[in-house]
Amino acid sequence: MKKALLLLSILLVSIVTLSVLTLYVVMQSQYAPKAVNLIIDKLTPYSVIASEVQYSAPFQLQLRDVEIEHLDQVVTLPKLTVWLSQFPWQNDKLSFDSILIEGATIDLSQLNSELFSGVTLHQLALKHVDISGPKWSARDVNLQIEQPIWSSSQQTLPYGDIQLSAEQLYMQGEALDKLLVDMRYRAQDSTIFGSSFNWRGASFSGQAEQYAKGWSLVNVTIDSLSLPESEQIEQLITTLGNLSLPISHINSLDILNSSFNYAHWRLERLDASLENLTLEGSLWQQNDGYLSFDAESISDQHIQLFSPRARLALTPQQVAIEEFDADFKQGRVQLQGIISPTQIALEQLKIAGIKWLEQTEQLLPALKENTDRLNHLTIEQLKVENAQFIQVEKLPYWQVSGLNIDGSQLTLIQDNKFGLLDGNLEVSANAASIDKLIATQAHLKAHADNSLLTLDRAFVPLEQGYIEASGRWDRRSASSPWQVSLHADGLPLQHHLLEQQLPFSLTGLAEVEMELKGLSGDYSMLSHSLSGYISANLHQAQLNASSFDGEQSFEQNFDLGEIKLRADRGRILIAAQEGTTQLAGEADLTKPQFATLLLKSEQTCQELWSDILGKANVIKQTCGEKSPQSPQASDAQESAVASGPSTAL
């Protein structure tokens, strides 16, 4: 019995050995291609034609100039190497440990799950292969995929553990050079363990993780990116999105020595660190995000910052500015605080040495536009040192230099109220001017307590005099009562703002005394409450007027004596008379359209009648008249000047 079993074992081993030897001999002969084609045709749904076959025992088979036909698809490969599994038959299919394709040019739409459905495959590899897919192509690709799985026939890249290198990946006008990827590709929750590529001369490297909403960048670095101003970095984000790599979150991103456009900003030589930022949300929709950066410059159409440095912490509806420091307008700006869509609370704002010399006329409108949305603005410490503003783009020209501001515990906007609502403020300027009103060493001091503003003192030295003022404005109540006291001497009469209101020009100086008070809750309150007086005296004044048609002119030394304005609960009377010159007018602020202000003046052979509010002059020649005016008519005209709004010229 033992002898029989031994003989049977010897027989079986001999048969197997003979079969292997026979297969080996066949594979080394000219019949190898036909043998391989016959074996594959019998064991798989493929038809294979190869011009050359090399067999390496026990499991490697190398084919050249291969044509694989399957389901009316024909794939041509210059070189194909396959390694059979130790157990060649698995899951009722021929099983391969690995398939290697070399030197091929492949349309990836042909290399899909249908092509590999007839075999069991544990590894797919490509070497020096050029690949094309929908709207993209890659050249000199080396690829290795462990346990490739195609979930559908439309899936071009199988799921699996992937190691990829490519000389270039080209897609819709953008090229990623020297691409390296090591990733675990899954239907969901994929992971890129490491990746690097060059784009536009810059190097990119890092890791990424896939979540339900998109990819999160993990420890990604962008180095030496330089894009011209005509191009946006958003082009890269679009390219990655087209590769089915939509980025929705930044876990950690470092940007080094890079220059590019983002949104409407131009960033030059930027170094930045971004952490835990959601790209789908706005600045105000971040949850514990962090951003720090420094750059050579940052600019948009209106603002240019040099050497900016910042550290920002982002939480829902709030940005904490831990540090901001930048050169701006030849000076320096530093601030710390918290901003939100409707509130700004600064711990510190320091502005030193700035020189705003152009587009200054847009400063106040831009400031108003950017603060209109705010309902709260506070600054604990405000310091402005040696600032200069010059506006020479439209009349009236103005400038202020050597401007210094010290403020503490300031509330500037609250509940739709603008101005100094709380805190202490002190302002000084070495020089200031508006048109021909020139001041030196001006100084202002004010404080506010719960919307009660007190102008402690404003003192403005002029070239030939000064302005001094004080006042109060109580905004705690709806009526907002106010009062102001002012004394000015040496005010120039030749001034753009005054010339815009008068139908004639004046030169000389004025001395003004003013005491006014009223309610400022709205215009109705003001028109029923304005009370007080203004007293003015003109010195060395000269009047020059032209008739409406411009054919006649009137010049004289203009002496009106004391000009008195009296206001009593919104009703205003103006009167002055010196010699042959008279000024008279009246107004009711509840009916401002009926206000009048008339001037009559006489000199040798000439008489001037001026409707100041109507900006009209009548100049009459009084010498050599054929029909001299009667004394009664002259008295009537003089009475008309003094009578008020019901009398026409």
Side-chain angles (χ1 to χ4, degrees):
M1 183 65 179
K2 291 183 178 179
K3 187 175 180 179
L5 290 174
L6 178 61
L7 290 174
L8 180 60
S9 298
I10 293 172
L11 180 61
L12 290 174
V13 170
S14 299
I15 293 172
V16 171
T17 302
L18 183 61
S19 299
V20 172
L21 289 173
T22 303
L23 179 62
Y24 180 79
V25 170
V26 171
M27 289 301 177
Q28 303 303 321
S29 69
Q30 60 180 331
Y31 302 105
K34 293 183 178 179
V36 168
N37 187 31
L38 179 62
I39 293 171
I40 293 177
D41 187 54
K42 293 297 183 181
L43 298 179
T44 72
Y46 309 113
S47 175
V48 176
I49 300 175
S51 64
E52 180 182 339
V53 175
Q54 291 182 358
Y55 172 71
S56 299
F59 303 113
Q60 180 180 333
L61 196 63
Q62 188 178 95
L63 299 84
R64 293 186 181 274
D65 300 327
V66 182
E67 285 188 3
I68 302 174
E69 183 176 350
H70 175 64
L71 299 178
D72 298 328
Q73 287 185 332
V74 178
V75 179
T76 302
L77 305 174
K79 184 178 180 181
L80 175 66
T81 304
V82 297
W83 285 264
L84 284 169
S85 300
Q86 291 183 353
F87 301 97
W89 196 257
Q90 299 178 22
N91 303 321
D92 296 326
K93 298 178 183 178
L94 190 62
S95 177
F96 294 93
D97 273 350
S98 181
I99 293 179
L100 172 63
I101 299 171
E102 298 181 67
T105 299
I106 298 175
D107 182 351
L108 204 57
S109 62
Q110 296 179 353
L111 196 65
N112 56 30
S113 61
E114 294 294 333
L115 184 62
F116 293 96
S117 62
V119 296
T120 298
L121 180 60
H122 298 287
Q123 183 187 85
L124 174 64
L126 308 178
K127 186 175 181 181
H128 302 305
V129 172
D130 293 341
I131 304 176
S132 62
K135 300 182 180 180
W136 64 272
S137 63
R139 60 183 178 86
D140 197 13
V141 175
N142 296 301
L143 173 68
Q144 181 174 300
I145 306 176
E146 299 286 344
Q147 304 300 325
I149 298 174
W150 284 265
S151 62
S152 69
S153 59
Q154 288 74 36
Q155 183 181 344
T156 54
L157 185 67
Y159 299 125
D161 290 348
I162 298 174
Q163 291 181 328
L164 165 72
S165 71
E167 186 67 22
Q168 184 181 77
L169 173 63
Y170 186 83
M171 184 172 192
Q172 296 182 336
E174 298 294 336
L176 306 184
D177 299 316
K178 306 295 183 183
L179 176 64
L180 295 172
V181 177
D182 180 8
M183 71 178 296
R184 176 163 294 162
Y185 183 36
R186 298 288 184 264
Q188 57 187 9
D189 300 332
S190 299
T191 301
I192 297 177
F193 301 108
S195 177
S196 65
F197 60 87
N198 295 336
W199 181 69
R200 304 292 185 92
S203 61
F204 294 71
S205 62
Q207 299 86 45
E209 296 177 345
Q210 184 188 33
Y211 296 95
K213 293 184 177 180
W215 285 84
S216 174
L217 302 183
V218 181
N219 298 327
V220 171
T221 300
I222 301 174
D223 191 5
S224 301
L225 175 63
S226 182
L227 297 180
E229 294 189 12
S230 59
E231 298 180 11
Q232 302 277 338
I233 196 174
E234 286 88 341
Q235 292 174 267
L236 175 61
I237 298 174
T238 300
T239 298
L240 295 175
N242 291 333
L243 288 171
S244 298
L245 295 170
I247 300 171
S248 63
H249 180 264
I250 295 174
N251 182 68
S252 177
L253 170 64
D254 291 326
I255 302 174
L256 306 176
N257 192 30
S258 296
S259 302
F260 53 87
N261 283 23
Y262 181 73
H264 58 280
W265 292 96
R266 176 65 183 177
L267 304 109
E268 295 284 355
R269 303 295 294 271
L270 173 73
D271 292 326
S273 178
L274 297 79
E275 298 178 12
N276 195 27
L277 299 180
T278 300
L279 300 185
E280 295 178 339
S282 71
L283 180 69
W284 312 112
Q285 295 172 314
Q286 303 299 320
N287 187 18
D288 295 328
Y290 189 80
L291 166 65
S292 64
F293 68 86
D294 63 77
E296 182 179 281
S297 68
I298 296 177
S299 60
D300 69 356
Q301 293 181 346
H302 308 291
I303 296 176
Q304 189 167 30
L305 303 174
F306 294 96
S307 302
R309 182 174 69 251
R311 291 184 291 116
L312 311 175
L314 288 67
T315 53
Q317 300 300 309
Q318 181 174 288
V319 175
I321 304 173
E322 298 175 357
E323 176 190 18
F324 180 84
D325 193 341
D327 289 334
F328 176 64
K329 298 287 187 181
Q330 305 179 49
R332 196 75 177 165
V333 176
Q334 298 171 292
L335 64 89
Q336 291 176 300
I338 296 174
I339 64 174
S340 73
T342 60
Q343 297 186 9
I344 296 178
L346 300 183
E347 297 174 13
Q348 172 188 302
L349 173 59
K350 184 177 181 180
I351 302 172
I354 69 167
K355 294 178 174 60
W356 205 305
L357 309 179
E358 57 186 14
Q359 296 183 333
T360 316
E361 84 284 356
Q362 297 297 324
L363 179 58
L364 291 179
L367 185 62
K368 183 179 185 302
E369 179 182 351
N370 285 281
T371 55
D372 276 347
R373 59 183 175 81
L374 297 178
N375 57 35
H376 188 75
L377 171 59
T378 61
I379 306 175
E380 291 185 17
Q381 293 293 329
L382 170 65
K383 194 170 189 64
V384 178
E385 296 178 336
N386 196 30
Q388 182 178 24
F389 299 86
I390 296 178
Q391 194 285 116
V392 292
E393 289 147 345
K394 68 176 184 179
L395 293 172
Y397 302 145
W398 60 268
Q399 69 90 23
V400 57
S401 59
L403 176 65
N404 298 287
I405 303 175
D406 280 297
S408 61
Q409 306 302 318
L410 302 176
T411 298
L412 303 178
I413 300 175
Q414 185 170 321
D415 299 331
N416 296 320
K417 293 179 182 178
F418 290 74
L420 182 57
L421 304 171
D422 265 300
N424 299 286
L425 189 66
E426 191 166 353
V427 181
S428 65
N430 293 335
S433 67
I434 177 168
D435 198 29
K436 293 179 176 60
L437 181 64
I438 301 173
T440 57
Q441 303 303 320
H443 186 268
L444 179 149
K445 187 174 182 180
H447 72 275
D449 182 13
N450 191 26
S451 297
L452 173 58
L453 171 63
T454 301
L455 177 60
D456 300 302
R457 191 189 185 207
F459 187 75
V460 183
L462 305 177
E463 286 188 307
Q464 301 183 55
Y466 66 92
I467 301 172
E468 187 173 16
S470 62
R472 288 167 62 89
W473 188 14
D474 189 353
R475 304 175 72 182
R476 293 173 296 183
S477 63
S479 60
S480 299
W482 60 272
Q483 63 182 61
V484 62
S485 299
L486 180 143
H487 180 78
D489 196 5
L491 292 175
L493 296 173
Q494 189 176 2
H495 193 280
H496 176 77
L497 296 178
L498 190 59
E499 291 170 353
Q500 294 297 106
Q501 305 302 319
L502 300 177
F504 46 78
S505 63
L506 292 173
T507 60
L509 302 173
E511 179 182 359
V512 176
E513 187 80 29
M514 181 174 71
E515 291 281 351
L516 291 175
K517 63 180 180 180
L519 304 176
S520 62
D522 55 31
Y523 181 79
S524 177
M525 293 182 190
L526 177 67
S527 64
H528 285 88
S529 66
L530 180 65
S531 299
Y533 73 91
I534 300 176
S535 173
N537 288 280
L538 309 184
H539 303 296
Q540 302 173 347
Q542 179 78 23
L543 181 145
N544 293 271
S546 298
S547 60
F548 182 77
D549 55 14
E551 295 183 358
Q552 300 185 66
S553 61
F554 184 93
E555 298 181 9
Q556 72 168 171
N557 294 328
F558 191 55
D559 186 5
L560 265 177
E562 183 180 11
I563 303 173
K564 296 180 180 180
L565 181 150
R566 298 284 180 181
D568 182 17
R569 289 174 292 182
R571 292 181 291 275
I572 301 172
L573 293 176
I574 302 174
Q577 181 170 356
E578 184 72 23
T580 59
T581 301
Q582 301 175 54
L583 177 68
E586 66 176 38
D588 184 343
L589 294 183
T590 63
K591 302 174 183 178
Q593 68 274 21
F594 298 117
T596 60
L597 183 59
L598 307 174
L599 172 68
K600 173 181 177 289
S601 186
E602 295 181 21
Q603 63 181 5
T604 304
C605 296
Q606 279 188 314
E607 186 176 82
L608 169 67
W609 291 80
S610 180
D611 178 2
I612 295 176
L613 299 181
K615 295 185 179 181
N617 297 321
V618 175
I619 299 173
K620 184 177 181 181
Q621 302 297 328
T622 57
C623 293
E625 292 182 338
K626 293 183 180 181
S627 301
Q629 191 176 32
S630 67
Q632 293 83 356
S634 178
D635 292 342
Q637 284 183 332
E638 294 179 4
S639 176
V641 173
S643 63
S646 60
T647 306
L649 284 173

